[in-house]
Amino acid sequence: MNDESLEQHLRKLPQPELPAGWQTEIIAQALREARESASPTRQVWPPFLMFLRQIVARNPLTASALTALWLLIFLFKASTPVDPSEKELLAHFDPNRPVYLVSIQDEIRLAELLQDQSEPRRLQIP
Amino acid sequence: MTLQDWLEGLYRDHAPALFRFLIRLTGDEADTKDILQEIFRRLAKTPRLLDGVAAPRSYLFRMAHRLVIDRHRRDQTRQHYDRLAWQERDPISRPEPLADDALWVQKVLDSSLDTLPPEQKEVVVLKVWENMTFAEIAEVLDISANTAASRYRYALDKLRESLRPLYKDLP
């Protein structure tokens, strides 16, 4: 049997018919889902947020790097000496400025000393 | 033209051919319906899919082909058992006597077609019943035209082989 006669036999095979009732059902379902997907409720994340989420949460390398960075920031903050009278990060803003760690009593004494230095000296009459 | 009219037009023009293609590939009416539903769901959701498409039928066949592959991958185990079941009920090994030789040839061909590998079966369906050229088939199936032609050749050889016990006696 050659190719042509084989093809002829194949063409004569009974073809399955598309069931008549499917059209209404399939199109109605497709339209319903299209309407639902067009609702104002956002179904998917916008691309930029997807990218951000990928960087921050999903990628193990970038997520570990960000965690390490936050840890370093915390350790840096925790280990930086603070002048309790001014409540600012001295070492960060002015590394040349001497930093003293003082107790409350020392602080009061220092404040009195500074106050004394700033006031004009009075002549003390013996 | 509303979306519904557009979908109904597409359904009228292409659904019968898609159905023939899908039912041959999946061998299951429920799967065929699901895939057809999925195609029209995507079209309803994104009507621009067919914007600028020169041959909508080829595009729809390509979509159907990819959905069949996805489904096949998902249900690979089930498909495997289905194929075993098909082999078990292969009528060639247990022929029923038929009066008309041509009818008998048709019956054997029909069953043999179902035992072809899916990649050969889809080429035969597109070539024989949809009258596509090998270039069009290649575009639908994402293969080269030469591959499509050779798959068709292998399929015909297998079908001819399945008829070998019969066609010596045919007029």
Side-chain angles (χ1 to χ4, degrees), chain B residues 55-67:
Chain B
R57 176 167 287 204
S58 297
Y59 185 89
L60 294 175
F61 270 109
R62 188 161 54 203
M63 202 190 271
H65 166 70
R66 287 183 183 162
L67 286 169

Side-chain angles (χ1 to χ4, degrees), chain B residues 154-170:
Chain B
Y154 286 130
L156 286 192
D157 287 347
K158 281 183 187 166
L159 293 174
R160 192 179 292 110
E161 193 61 33
S162 71
L163 290 174
R164 187 172 292 281
L166 299 170
Y167 68 72
K168 284 178 196 163
D169 306 328
L170 289 179

Side-chain angles (χ1 to χ4, degrees), chain A residues 4-5 15 17 19 67 78 105 110 113:
Chain A
E4 284 76 26
S5 57
Q15 288 303 304
E17 289 291 324
T67 309
Q105 287 77 13
L110 276 169
L113 192 63

Side-chain angles (χ1 to χ4, degrees), chain B residues 98-155:
Chain B
L98 284 173
D100 191 342
D101 284 337
L103 274 180
W104 173 233
V105 168
Q106 280 190 6
K107 184 155 180 65
V108 173
L109 268 183
D110 201 15
S111 306
S112 308
L113 200 60
D114 286 326
T115 59
L116 286 178
E119 63 273 10
Q120 292 175 12
K121 201 191 304 179
E122 56 194 2
V123 175
V124 172
V125 172
L126 293 175
K127 177 81 180 143
V128 175
W129 290 294
E130 302 310 323
N131 292 317
M132 287 188 176
T133 62
F134 286 126
E136 287 168 334
I137 294 172
E139 195 188 335
V140 168
L141 303 181
D142 230 356
I143 52 176
S144 72
N146 284 338
T147 309
S150 62
R151 283 182 187 175
Y152 186 64
R153 163 69 32 214
Y154 286 130

Side-chain angles (χ1 to χ4, degrees), chain A residues 18 22 26, chain B residues 18 22 32-40:
Chain A
L18 176 65
W22 283 14
I26 285 178
Chain B
L18 287 170
L22 289 168
T32 300
K33 190 177 181 184
D34 285 350
I35 294 173
L36 211 53
Q37 176 73 72
E38 177 63 20
I39 291 171
F40 280 87

